[in-house]
Amino acid sequence: MNSASPAPDESRLAALALNDQAVPAQPAIDVDDNANATTDTGTAIAVAEKKRLAYAFPPPPDYPPLTPLAARAPIAILSTPSKGRGVFATESIAAGTVVEISPILLLSKEEYYGGGKEGDLLGVEGSMLRGYVFSWRGGGMALALGLGSLFNHSSQPNLSFELQPQTHTIQFKAFRTIAAGEELSIFYGHRASFDDATASNKAGQLSDSEDEGEWGGLAKIPEPAKQLKWDEEIIEFEYLNWIKVTNEIDPEKQPLEVFDAYVLDIPAALVQHIFSITRSIYKGQNDPLHHLKRVRPLPSLTKPHSDPTQPPVEVKMISVLLFPVHAAPENFMDLLTSSKLASEHPEVDLTPYVLPVPKHIARTETQGEEWGKIWPVLLVHIREGPKATKRSKGWERIKAEWVGREAGKCWAAAKEAGRRGENPIASHATETFDPAVHSPTKLPSTIAKSHDTRHSTRNVLSHSCSNLIDAIALLDIHGLRDSSAYLLTGLTIFTSHEPCLLCSMSLLHSRIKELYFIKSAPGSGGCGSVYAVHEDKGLNHGFEVWKFQRTSLGFRRSLAITHLNQVSSSMSLDVDPELLPLIGYFALIAFLLVLVSPALLRKPTAKSLVYGALAIASLGVTWTYMFLYFERSYIEAALRANVRPQKFTAKEWLADVSLFNEAWSYVVATPERWWWSQQLCLFTAGPFTAMLLHEGRRKDIKFVWAYMVLGQIVAISFAQALFFAALELATTNSIPATKQGQSRDAVRAGPLITSCTLLSLATVGISPYTINTPYFLPNLLVMHALLILPLLPFPSAKSPRASIPYSTLYALLGGISLALRLPAFYDLHAISSSPTQVLKTLFLHPAQSSISFDVVFATLGMAIFAIAQSGKRSTKGTLTAFVSLPVLLPLGVGVWAGMYLGLREKPQFDAAQKGKAQGGSLTEGKEE
């Protein structure tokens, strides 16, 4: 029976449509002709509606006729170990370059939230796409197409993005120069978070309150600490979250500048004659030498007395400052020669000479002392306020807290204005903080508040600051302000964004005293970005401007040594238990050096001295950078704790930081850094470990494991140089015959050394993929443990079936190292990283510099060893390996060392096998 199903109710379908609009016509729904006649009609309708709704796509938004596209920038999409895919620059990208214009798919709130509310994880929000959407104006969400969804998050991004509703696109622009090889990133918002399970995904969506938008975002201003960590009443400027915006040179930091002046040396008794001449010239005029002292003492002269019977006369001499060369009177020589001094004392030489003198008055004792070495200069401290007190070196603690609190209120008002549909900019005016008047219980009062109203008033001049001035003028008109001052005279202004040129000039004309703003306006700001209105000397008023800096990074590097001295001084005899690991670290180094010293305290040779010099150089360079890393880590830990470095203890530092994990996380993070670090890992995990055991047994070197531990906790190149010196001394000094025989037997590698080195290379291979995962540190620890294990003094045992020739092991390790190195070169090629950029990585970070120079010295040490061995032996394998040095060395010391040692050992193994076949004295060798 063929029964036609009733047409679904169109109004009901329309109500079910995702955007409450009519559903377009869809293909007819097939109904089985043989369907049971007793089928419930209501069920059939429900099934039909469900099928039809599955194809009921809402109509698209009203997109523009033409969507703009950006010219393709020099970029590449690469896979990263910790973030999934990312966008990298293949060439340098200039600041201001439009990198991408991404079309968007606009989702309504109903579509995005699936009929629920934020956080219910319904609709699109319940899928992985929630990490790829942008908050759109009007409450919708936009999914960026193109590259827009591939830019990863960074708290220090190099791209800005602008939502462009008129074209339904998002424009991404470089706001600073981006170097080749650098990842392109944007700022997702302060609520963006990553966990281990989703580290490779994009961050959570940008919420309405944190929409970056064309204003660059409204990130939350950190709340000021209720109780600052240090006790001083004055918080010095370098420790504030605010930085003064000025193009002027601070007089207290003014460098020495000089100009030429005429100087005359005369007896001190006659100086008043010179003063009378200079006073007559500058009478009623500004003296260009007012900041300098007019005389400077000279060594006394001894002249014979007019009476030969009397002893010589001592004449005190001084230098007198006359005139600046550029402002000297044209007839000043005539004034000197025709003066009373010249006529009454013809014996005095009145010929002046030119001398450079300081150009500015000294404002600090240091300036006075240093500049006074050229010519004595006056010292006048900068004084401020009605009581002419010395210039402040910082803010009172309560002022710092008050400024932070007021800025936070202003920022919150800007966000509220944005939610109301206005431009998210707000301002308010307060009394100016005066430490003589205000206290924690009596803070400056707020006079007026305003926000931007250009949208609601449709008046392009209704800026936030303009509205603020109007509000205070209105208060004055109605007599509602207890002040007769003109407009904003003497007031403090807080604003969310830097005022434009118009507002800056209005504030200056209103006579404000100081301004605090949170976010710069690079293209229009009149308080430092485009122009510094507040410092224009051609205007009859000026004011101070302070800008919020997101993190307090003002700790001076010049204090670094002081900080480290404080760390050292905290290590007294009464040792805190948390300092024991650091003390034990250096104690272990001393213990290991004692263990290996017997092998080194023998009659030196020229080659052993070379290795010794190499060890000293390696130690000096790598540990210079290591201590710089300690310093940097210490200061950064103090920053995180919001503590002044002088107050930060070694205990707090070590409790906050895992130095090992922190350093290795950095040196593995990018292709350029890994290019260096991987070399050291491959060399240590492969050839160096096998060589310690092999050559150590051959030459009867004791405690070979100690060299490996020294390499891991000091520097591999340092331990390598010490080991090579021990080998050289063992060769040239007498060894018992039994020991020589044992050393000749060691031509085969046992299963322990083979398996440990191969497994260790495997941990090297996976290291870049464990960054930012719980497996990163365990993987590193396993790698280091595997390198020590085969070097421990286990009982010897023969197991020829499970052993392989050392020549084979070396070649295998070199081949695997080569296979692991090739991806590192490919990664550099993929991001178009040049050799120059790779070399620059040497100095990017102290931890990276220490590792990279360790590679340099390890490579140099291995090359010196190869040269020394080639002179000692003329075997075909040794010569072949030495010749291969220029070819294989660029691939990394791990690759070349494995190949070289394999070729070097092959003839010895062949000779051992031949001796065994002929019944010679050589045996198959002993295992470890």
Side-chain angles (χ1 to χ4, degrees):
M1 178 177 178
N2 188 0
S3 61
S5 179
D9 184 42
E10 296 294 341
S11 63
R12 185 179 178 192
L13 276 181
L16 291 173
L18 293 179
N19 65 345
D20 294 332
Q21 297 185 22
V23 178
Q26 300 296 328
I29 301 173
D30 295 332
V31 180
D32 188 0
D33 289 341
N34 298 320
N36 194 321
T38 61
T39 301
D40 184 80
T41 302
T43 303
I45 292 175
V47 172
E49 288 179 345
K50 185 176 181 180
K51 287 187 177 181
R52 184 168 183 177
L53 192 59
Y55 294 93
F57 298 104
D62 187 16
Y63 290 118
L66 178 65
T67 298
L69 295 174
R72 178 59 64 189
I75 53 180
I77 301 173
L78 302 177
S79 176
T80 65
S82 60
K83 298 181 181 179
R85 288 181 298 181
V87 183
F88 290 80
T90 58
E91 299 176 11
S92 178
I93 299 176
T97 301
V98 176
V99 174
E100 167 72 358
I101 299 179
S102 296
I104 58 101
L105 291 179
L106 188 58
L107 306 173
S108 67
K109 280 190 174 181
E110 291 76 11
E111 290 172 312
Y112 184 74
Y113 295 116
K117 61 181 183 299
E118 182 179 0
D120 290 346
L121 299 183
L122 301 175
V124 177
E125 189 190 28
S127 71
M128 68 177 294
L129 292 180
R130 72 175 179 275
Y132 293 82
V133 296
F134 295 75
S135 297
W136 201 255
R137 292 185 176 180
M141 295 292 177
L143 177 64
L145 305 178
L147 297 178
S149 293
L150 293 180
F151 295 118
N152 285 316
H153 165 76
S154 173
S155 59
Q156 296 180 327
N158 46 30
L159 294 181
S160 62
F161 63 88
E162 181 179 350
L163 309 183
Q164 299 181 322
Q166 67 277 14
T167 59
H168 280 71
T169 59
I170 303 175
Q171 178 177 287
F172 298 86
K173 182 184 294 186
F175 66 78
R176 64 170 174 81
T177 300
I178 303 174
E182 185 178 354
E183 183 177 6
L184 278 64
S185 58
I186 60 177
F187 181 66
Y188 287 2
H190 286 268
R191 294 201 309 178
S193 61
F194 302 87
D195 54 37
D196 295 333
T198 60
S200 63
N201 293 334
K202 296 283 182 181
Q205 70 190 59
L206 301 176
S207 68
D208 293 341
S209 63
E210 292 177 340
D211 177 12
E212 292 296 301
E214 64 179 299
W215 296 102
L218 291 172
K220 182 180 179 183
I221 296 296
E223 289 294 331
K226 293 182 180 179
Q227 179 65 41
L228 299 183
K229 296 286 186 178
W230 48 88
D231 302 323
E232 288 81 357
E233 240 0 82
I234 297 296
I235 302 174
E236 296 177 15
F237 291 121
E238 56 262 37
Y239 303 117
L240 295 172
N241 275 333
W242 297 86
I243 184 170
K244 190 173 182 180
V245 180
T246 178
N247 294 322
E248 296 180 345
I249 297 176
D250 186 342
E252 293 185 348
K253 299 178 181 178
Q254 172 75 48
L256 173 63
E257 295 183 25
V258 297
F259 62 87
D260 289 338
Y262 289 114
V263 177
L264 181 65
D265 295 342
I266 61 171
L270 304 177
V271 68
Q272 289 301 327
H273 293 283
I274 300 299
F275 286 165
S276 63
I277 296 175
T278 57
R279 280 196 294 266
S280 66
I281 297 297
Y282 291 122
K283 185 176 182 180
Q285 301 180 17
N286 291 328
D287 183 357
L289 302 176
H290 69 280
H291 62 290
L292 300 171
K293 295 182 179 180
R294 302 308 288 250
V295 298
R296 179 176 66 176
L298 291 175
S300 299
L301 295 180
T302 301
K303 292 186 177 181
H305 198 279
S306 56
D307 184 353
T309 62
Q310 298 296 323
V313 178
E314 183 176 325
V315 179
K316 293 183 179 180
M317 300 293 294
I318 59 171
S319 294
V320 184
L321 202 55
L322 299 177
F323 313 100
V325 171
H326 65 277
E330 294 182 0
N331 63 337
F332 85 93
M333 284 300 300
D334 295 336
L335 293 174
L336 289 176
T337 55
S338 60
S339 66
K340 184 178 179 180
L341 173 63
S343 59
E344 292 181 358
H345 301 277
E347 75 281 1
V348 176
D349 184 5
L350 296 180
T351 304
Y353 58 93
V354 175
L355 192 70
V357 295
K359 186 176 181 179
H360 304 286
I361 194 170
R363 296 294 187 178
T364 66
E365 286 79 2
T366 301
Q367 290 176 340
E369 181 181 352
E370 294 297 324
W371 299 359
K373 295 176 182 178
I374 298 176
W375 187 271
V377 62
L378 296 179
L379 171 61
V380 179
H381 290 286
I382 298 176
R383 297 185 177 271
E384 301 174 328
K387 295 183 179 180
T389 57
K390 279 191 177 182
R391 188 185 194 188
S392 173
K393 300 299 182 182
W395 289 355
E396 293 78 10
R397 181 192 304 142
I398 185 60
K399 178 180 179 179
E401 295 182 356
W402 170 73
V403 169
R405 189 178 301 115
E406 294 301 316
K409 292 178 182 178
C410 186
W411 197 251
K415 292 165 66 175
E416 179 61 28
R419 282 191 285 269
R420 295 178 180 178
E422 303 286 1
N423 288 330
I425 307 175
S427 307
H428 66 252
T430 71
E431 297 175 337
T432 296
F433 182 90
D434 184 351
V437 175
H438 298 109
S439 67
T441 58
K442 184 183 179 182
L443 293 173
S445 301
T446 299
I447 308 299
K449 298 181 180 180
S450 69
H451 61 79
D452 192 290
T453 57
R454 277 175 279 179
H455 288 325
S456 59
T457 63
R458 297 188 179 182
N459 183 349
V460 296
L461 299 180
S462 296
H463 293 201
S464 176
C465 290
S466 298
N467 291 340
L468 184 67
I469 297 172
D470 290 344
I472 292 181
L474 190 62
L475 291 176
D476 290 342
I477 289 173
H478 294 282
L480 299 177
R481 188 162 68 109
D482 186 18
S483 173
S484 59
Y486 171 74
L487 289 178
L488 279 63
T489 298
L491 296 185
T492 294
I493 306 301
F494 292 89
T495 181
S496 60
H497 292 69
E498 178 186 1
C500 65
L501 285 167
L502 168 68
C503 292
S504 299
M505 194 63 198
S506 299
L507 292 172
L508 182 138
H509 179 75
S510 300
R511 301 298 189 265
I512 70 169
K513 183 174 183 180
E514 57 188 8
L515 169 75
Y516 298 86
F517 70 83
I518 298 166
K519 195 169 186 63
S520 298
S524 60
C527 289
S529 291
V530 175
Y531 187 74
V533 169
H534 59 290
E535 290 186 337
D536 191 323
K537 298 302 181 183
L539 301 174
N540 61 358
H541 182 66
F543 55 91
E544 284 190 356
V545 175
W546 295 82
K547 174 188 174 183
F548 175 75
Q549 50 183 0
R550 192 172 300 276
T551 53
S552 180
L553 296 176
F555 294 104
R556 293 179 176 176
R557 300 286 291 185
S558 61
L559 294 175
I561 301 302
T562 304
H563 304 160
L564 291 179
N565 288 340
Q566 186 273 330
V567 174
S568 301
S569 63
S570 67
M571 300 178 188
S572 60
L573 293 178
D574 185 15
V575 178
D576 190 285
E578 293 194 28
L579 296 180
L580 289 177
L582 186 63
I583 298 173
Y585 176 80
F586 290 102
L588 177 60
I589 294 175
F591 171 71
L592 294 172
L593 290 173
V594 171
L595 281 184
V596 302
S597 59
L600 302 172
L601 298 178
R602 297 177 177 177
K603 184 178 179 180
T605 66
K607 293 178 182 178
S608 68
L609 292 176
V610 171
Y611 292 132
L614 186 64
I616 294 172
S618 167
L619 181 65
V621 174
T622 57
W623 272 78
T624 293
Y625 287 106
M626 187 61 71
F627 280 118
L628 289 174
Y629 165 60
F630 288 164
E631 168 209 325
R632 179 168 179 159
S633 174
Y634 173 76
I635 294 176
E636 289 176 350
L639 276 171
R640 288 192 294 269
N642 196 27
V643 179
R644 292 181 69 175
Q646 293 91 336
K647 297 280 186 179
F648 201 57
T649 65
K651 173 184 175 180
E652 293 172 311
W653 170 42
L654 296 175
D656 178 72
V657 174
S658 172
L659 294 173
F660 181 80
N661 185 42
E662 184 182 72
W664 274 100
S665 296
Y666 182 87
V667 301
V668 178
T670 67
E672 290 94 347
R673 300 174 200 168
W674 182 234
W675 188 89
W676 287 101
S677 309
Q678 188 194 43
Q679 292 188 60
L680 193 67
C681 292
L682 293 176
F683 173 66
T684 307
F688 184 58
T689 302
M691 190 179 187
L692 283 175
L693 183 64
H694 182 207
E695 295 292 340
R697 288 201 165 186
R698 174 180 287 169
K699 299 297 178 66
D700 194 34
I701 305 296
K702 301 294 186 183
F703 308 114
V704 290
W705 59 269
Y707 293 93
M708 175 56 71
V709 178
L710 268 176
Q712 292 182 7
I713 66 176
V714 179
I716 291 296
S717 55
F718 173 71
Q720 175 204 54
L722 293 182
F723 182 68
F724 286 165
L727 290 180
E728 175 63 25
L729 294 173
T731 301
T732 57
N733 290 270
S734 60
I735 301 177
T738 56
K739 301 296 183 182
Q740 293 178 2
Q742 289 182 8
S743 68
R744 287 193 299 268
D745 289 343
V747 294
R748 299 186 69 88
L752 185 58
I753 183 65
T754 302
S755 59
C756 285
T757 51
L758 294 179
L759 287 174
S760 186
L761 286 178
T763 64
V764 175
I766 66 175
S767 290
Y769 305 99
T770 61
I771 303 178
N772 298 325
T773 72
Y775 309 106
F776 180 71
L777 185 58
N779 181 67
L780 287 178
L781 295 176
V782 168
M783 178 199 306
H784 287 71
L786 287 171
L787 302 181
I788 299 174
L789 182 62
L791 304 179
L792 297 175
F794 295 111
S796 300
K798 289 187 177 181
S799 57
R801 292 183 180 179
S803 63
I804 62 174
Y806 268 107
S807 57
T808 303
L809 177 61
Y810 285 133
L812 181 62
L813 296 175
I816 295 175
S817 297
L818 176 60
L820 294 175
R821 283 293 285 164
L822 293 179
F825 280 92
Y826 175 79
D827 290 343
L828 291 178
H829 173 73
I831 62 174
S832 300
S833 183
S834 66
T836 302
Q837 292 167 328
V838 173
L839 287 176
K840 287 181 179 179
T841 310
L842 270 171
F843 304 101
L844 284 180
H845 189 280
Q848 183 66 53
S849 299
S850 182
I851 290 285
S852 300
F853 277 105
D854 203 4
V855 173
V856 172
F857 280 104
T859 303
L860 180 61
M862 198 66 211
I864 292 174
F865 179 79
I867 294 172
Q869 294 299 307
S870 66
K872 188 177 298 184
R873 299 174 179 174
S874 59
T875 63
K876 180 179 179 181
T878 301
L879 292 176
T880 303
F882 179 68
V883 172
S884 68
L885 176 63
V887 179
L888 295 177
L889 199 54
L891 296 176
V893 62
V895 176
W896 174 78
M899 299 296 186
Y900 160 71
L901 293 170
L903 291 172
R904 174 176 173 268
E905 290 303 314
K906 185 64 168 64
Q908 296 187 54
F909 177 76
D910 292 342
Q913 292 296 98
K914 183 177 179 181
K916 178 182 176 182
Q918 296 176 356
S921 61
L922 290 177
T923 65
E924 287 189 347
K926 291 189 176 184
E927 301 298 331
E928 64 274 36

